[in-house]
Amino acid sequence: MKAPIVEIFSSFQGEGLWIGKRQIFVRFAGCNLNCNYCDTKDSQNVNNGILKSVEEVVKKIKELKTPDLHSISFTGGEPLLYFDFINEIISQIDFKIMIETNGTLPDFLSKINNLNCVSLDLKLPEHFNMDWNEEIFNNEVLSIKSLIANKKLLL
């Protein structure tokens, strides 16, 4: 199994409940939305990623691990497009797991195993160039309700 990866790096979380915590970020390529304010435009297009196997990603995570590592953050693009790939990684590591998502794929979000924290970015009509629809908001609400019901942290 392979997925398009833009980058894997170690840094500090810059926002939310885990701000200042050392994380390894796994950034996927490909997104199901086209927000006009995206801060990682290169990760929107699936073709900007390099196909990597689960084993390659796990190896890189282990290489980047430091004593102060707090968690792994799966980000993008939209990481939930690769929920099965993420679950394979999670099954091979023992770290806290964070997903940074647009929240529009509630069925995929509910399939992530051993999830500790979610950073869900609500999308408003003004974030799009006329291609926003109510389904985006409704799916975000479904994701939030699922996270609350399953007692997951929500940023």
Side-chain angles (χ1 to χ4, degrees):
M1 175 184 311
K2 293 190 174 193
I5 305 293
V6 173
E7 60 185 338
I8 303 170
F9 62 97
S10 177
S11 188
F12 294 96
Q13 180 55 251
E15 55 195 20
L17 291 177
W18 288 358
I19 191 169
K21 302 290 186 183
R22 163 94 47 205
Q23 290 187 318
I24 293 173
F25 294 83
V26 178
R27 185 177 311 283
F28 290 89
C31 188
N32 60 319
L33 298 179
N34 187 24
C35 302
N36 57 24
Y37 70 91
C38 183
D39 63 352
T40 54
K41 287 277 188 197
D42 60 327
S43 66
Q44 284 183 323
N45 187 326
V46 70
N47 295 321
N48 288 338
I50 297 171
L51 287 178
K52 295 193 179 280
S53 68
V54 169
E55 293 75 22
E56 290 173 298
V57 174
V58 169
K59 180 180 178 199
K60 186 65 175 179
I61 289 171
K62 289 179 179 178
E63 288 173 4
L64 291 171
K65 181 181 182 265
T66 57
D68 64 338
L69 180 65
H70 179 265
S71 49
I72 310 297
S73 177
F74 294 101
T75 188
E78 178 49 58
L80 293 180
L81 294 171
Y82 311 101
F83 69 88
D84 51 348
F85 188 86
I86 291 171
N87 278 334
E88 284 295 317
I89 294 169
I90 291 171
S91 73
Q92 296 182 35
I93 60 175
D94 187 27
F95 302 108
K96 292 178 183 174
I97 302 299
M98 178 181 200
I99 299 284
E100 297 184 37
T101 178
N102 61 38
T104 62
L105 303 168
D107 292 338
F108 293 176
L109 180 59
S110 68
K111 292 180 181 182
I112 298 290
N113 299 327
N114 301 319
L115 183 58
N116 301 104
C117 187
V118 175
S119 177
L120 194 152
D121 186 21
L122 292 174
K123 308 297 183 184
L124 302 173
E126 56 267 23
H127 297 151
F128 298 88
N129 296 321
M130 306 301 287
D131 55 351
W132 185 87
N133 64 60
E134 199 169 304
E135 184 179 357
I136 290 172
F137 179 74
N138 291 338
N139 282 331
E140 291 168 337
V141 170
L142 287 173
S143 290
I144 292 168
K145 286 181 178 180
S146 172
L147 290 167
I148 291 169
N150 291 305
K151 295 181 177 27
K152 300 296 179 192
L153 294 177
L154 181 63
L155 303 178

